[in-house]
Amino acid sequence: MGIDTNCSLVLPYPYTVRDIDFCIILSNALDNAINACKNLDNSSEKYINITGYKQGDFILIEIENSFQEKNMPGKGTGLANIKAAVRKYNGAVGIRTGHGIFTLSILLVIPQHPDNIL
């Protein structure tokens, strides 16, 4: 699709965040980013940047992509699924938009007792 991608995702192993929750977060975020890039005209730069790392007792993930602000879709299930997964870890989701850039920031608190995560 002509989308430039860059990924730097360095996460601890073993980690106490469930694999399925990482899948929910990343698959929904990437699906949204791909769709946003797909809706850009051919003269626009199409890109997706993914960064993630552990800092202290937190995992920080950021997905940034180009998008066309005037064609921004309404709320879908993808973002709701991301927020539900993040809530399990007492985390936070932040969204910034401007100048054709959409940024999704995710903060997960690394649980000390992973048995409590449903």
Side-chain angles (χ1 to χ4, degrees), residues 16 18 24-25 51-52 57 62 72 74-75 80-81 83 88-89 92 95 99 105-106 111 116:
T16 54
R18 295 178 59 208
I24 289 168
I25 292 166
T51 56
D57 291 336
E62 190 167 89
M72 193 164 166
K75 293 183 179 180
N81 289 340
K83 288 179 178 180
K88 291 180 184 181
Y89 301 92
I95 296 172
H99 307 291
S105 301
I106 297 164
N116 297 335

Side-chain angles (χ1 to χ4, degrees), residues 76-109:
T77 57
L79 195 52
N81 289 340
I82 292 169
K83 288 179 178 180
V86 170
R87 253 192 316 270
K88 291 180 184 181
Y89 301 92
N90 298 312
V93 174
I95 296 172
R96 293 185 313 274
T97 60
H99 307 291
I101 301 170
F102 183 95
T103 306
L104 176 66
S105 301
I106 297 164
L107 173 75
L108 301 172
V109 179

Side-chain angles (χ1 to χ4, degrees), residues 7-99:
C7 181
S8 175
L9 194 58
V10 180
L11 300 174
Y13 187 84
Y15 48 82
T16 54
V17 176
R18 295 178 59 208
D19 290 344
I20 188 68
D21 293 322
F22 272 129
C23 288
I24 289 168
I25 292 166
L26 293 173
S27 65
N28 282 285
L30 290 174
D31 188 48
N32 290 348
I34 291 167
N35 284 327
C37 288
K38 210 165 45 170
N39 290 331
L40 290 169
D41 60 44
N42 289 333
S43 64
S44 299
E45 179 187 11
K46 299 177 183 183
Y47 72 89
I48 300 172
N49 293 327
I50 304 155
T51 56
Y53 55 92
K54 178 184 180 279
Q55 184 171 338
D57 291 336
F58 303 97
I59 293 175
L60 306 164
I61 300 171
E62 190 167 89
I63 295 108
E64 177 184 287
N65 60 274
S66 51
F67 84 113
Q68 193 170 20
E69 294 182 52
K70 65 181 180 181
N71 290 337
M72 193 164 166
K75 293 183 179 180
T77 57
L79 195 52
N81 289 340
I82 292 169
K83 288 179 178 180
V86 170
R87 253 192 316 270
K88 291 180 184 181
Y89 301 92
N90 298 312
V93 174
I95 296 172
R96 293 185 313 274
T97 60
H99 307 291

